[in-house]
Each structure stands twice: as C-alpha cells, then as structure tokens.
Amino acid sequence: EAGVAQSPRYKIIEKRQSVAFWCNPISGHATLYWYQQILGQGPKLLIQFQNNGVVDDSQLPKDRFSAERLKGVDSTLKIQPAKLEDSAVYLCASSMDRGHSPLHFGNGTRLTVT
Amino acid sequence: DQQVKQNSPSLSVQEGRISILNCDYTNSMFDYFLWYKKYPAEGPTFLISISSIKDKNEDGRFTVFLNKSAKHLSLHIVPSQPGDSAVYFCAAIGGSQGNLIFGKGTKLSVKP
C-alpha cells in the first residue's frame, strides 16, 4: 500500500512569512494527524481529524496555525505569520481509526524559519 | 510536564548483543504503549506495542516488557544488528489523553 505522502520535503522562509504543507494519507484511513517535532524532542500533536472534522486541536497555536481536511482525504497545514520557534519537522500521520491503531507517518516537511 | 520520559538520549551496543531501551511514564491512566523507530530524514515507523493488560509482547527480535507498578517499560532487541541503528521513541495513550504522547527518543547505535 502507498504510504503517507507529504510535500514539500524542505522549506526555508523568513520570519513573518507564510507557509503551507500538504498531506495525502493512506487510502481508507479515517483519522489524520499533524505533529510538530522540534530537534531533540518527540513529536507533539498539533491537530487530529476524524474524516473532515476536527477531534482535537487543543495544542494548535490558533493565532498563527490553521489546518483543514477537505472531503476527508487530503489535508493542509498553514502557518501565518511564521516565527523563529516554528522551525521544526512537521509530520503528517494517518490511522484506520481513533483507537489503538498504529499511526503511519509520512517523511515530514523540514521547516527552517530565518 | 513530561508524561513519557526516555532518560537516555543515546545508547551504543555491539552487533549481536542485546539492546535495552527504557521508558518511564507518569500517567497511570495510560493503557496502551507503543515503540516507534525513526531513521534520519524519514518519519517514525511503528515497531511494537503492548496493552496494559499484558506484561510482555514479543515480535521476532523485539520484545517489550511492561511493569505497571513501576510505570516502566523497556524494549529489548536481541540480537542487535547495525540496521537497528536509529532513534527509538516510546509513546503512550489512554485515559483522558486521547492521543499518543511521545518521549524524546533514544538514539541507538549498533557497532559492527
């Protein structure tokens, strides 16, 4: 089966600019996640979708971050405006359901904010 | 407040020997634990999991042990191979925490 696809792989922007990341989950996976992984840390959940509805966005900095999952398939994560501390790897993951199904991760987008 | 702790940032073992990676947690409501492996420039991949109703789960060279009273789990890799060199993340879920909580990871280096 095809894995979780993410693009771009790398992005360098200046602070206060905007950036968007795209994710295509594994076909048939109802649950989609966006994680932020700062260097030396474990992944931290930003937002979780079940189909096209938001299940948990409690850790999403909503003043600058937004995400959507139209039609319950692809998803985009946007940062506007970016700050230096947003430099991280942004990982998209999907799973069959919200239970204990293992998450399947994409290769991530490495964002550098200068 | 870290709910999942991996106190060893790195571990080095010789090929063929046992690798033991440790993980501690603070939330007694966690009921499911997972280990993920991550190679550079790739996303984490699921390795093995264990439910809180068990104390051991084995899959080939990989075994996870859970000690609920100590809130501790460990991943054993026997025998270790150079291809096992990666960062290993411990993760937990359960109770009011509806999403996976990850530790900071342990970088394993297996030397030929």
Side-chain angles (χ1 to χ4, degrees):
Chain A
E1 81 187 344
V4 176
Q6 287 189 249
S7 68
R9 285 302 310 271
Y10 304 94
K11 191 74 177 179
I12 301 174
I13 62 172
E14 295 182 352
K15 60 183 179 184
R16 291 187 288 273
Q17 286 187 322
S18 63
V19 64
F21 313 125
W22 173 82
C23 173
N24 180 242
I26 292 173
S27 177
H29 280 194
T31 311
L32 184 146
Y33 312 78
W34 282 101
Y35 280 84
Q36 180 193 58
Q37 185 179 9
I38 292 172
L39 188 65
Q41 305 287 321
K44 185 187 85 168
L45 180 70
L46 292 174
I47 190 167
Q48 178 187 352
F49 293 93
Q50 180 71 13
N51 296 310
N52 61 347
V54 175
V55 173
D56 184 353
D57 64 356
S58 58
Q59 298 192 80
L60 187 73
K62 299 180 188 64
D63 58 334
R64 298 184 301 106
F65 286 64
S66 64
E68 61 181 8
R69 190 183 184 195
L70 297 176
K71 301 180 181 178
V73 182
D74 292 6
S75 176
T76 56
L77 175 69
K78 296 180 181 177
I79 307 175
Q80 183 179 12
K83 292 185 175 181
L84 296 176
E85 58 260 35
D86 297 333
S87 294
V89 175
Y90 291 84
L91 293 161
C92 179
S94 67
S95 64
M96 289 286 289
D97 54 45
R98 290 176 57 193
H100 291 160
S101 300
L103 273 60
H104 298 261
F105 284 88
N107 287 333
T109 297
R110 180 176 294 279
L111 174 67
T112 302
V113 182
T114 63
Chain B
D1 178 30
Q2 265 192 288
Q3 298 187 67
V4 178
K5 301 176 184 179
Q6 293 178 257
N7 293 319
S8 297
S10 63
L11 174 68
S12 182
V13 300
Q14 208 66 33
E15 181 179 5
R17 306 294 292 268
I18 185 172
S19 295
I20 300 176
L21 296 99
N22 294 305
C23 177
D24 297 294
Y25 61 95
T26 59
N27 189 339
S28 58
M29 298 302 291
F30 286 146
D31 61 1
Y32 198 69
F33 304 88
L34 305 91
W35 285 92
Y36 281 81
K37 180 167 82 171
K38 185 182 183 304
Y39 292 118
E42 294 184 11
T45 56
F46 170 71
L47 190 58
I48 193 170
S49 62
I50 187 167
S51 165
S52 61
I53 64 173
K54 295 184 174 182
D55 55 18
K56 177 183 175 181
N57 188 27
E58 191 172 352
D59 183 2
R61 297 186 297 113
F62 303 90
T63 303
V64 57
F65 296 91
L66 176 62
N67 182 333
K68 283 178 292 187
S69 61
K71 295 192 180 69
H72 176 84
L73 63 157
S74 60
L75 174 68
H76 292 211
I77 306 174
V78 182
S80 301
Q81 299 173 354
D84 297 328
S85 297
V87 177
Y88 289 78
F89 291 100
C90 172
I93 189 171
S96 62
Q97 196 57 62
N99 295 295
L100 275 182
I101 304 296
F102 285 85
K104 290 185 177 182
T106 296
K107 183 177 182 180
L108 173 66
S109 299
V110 180
K111 301 194 182 304

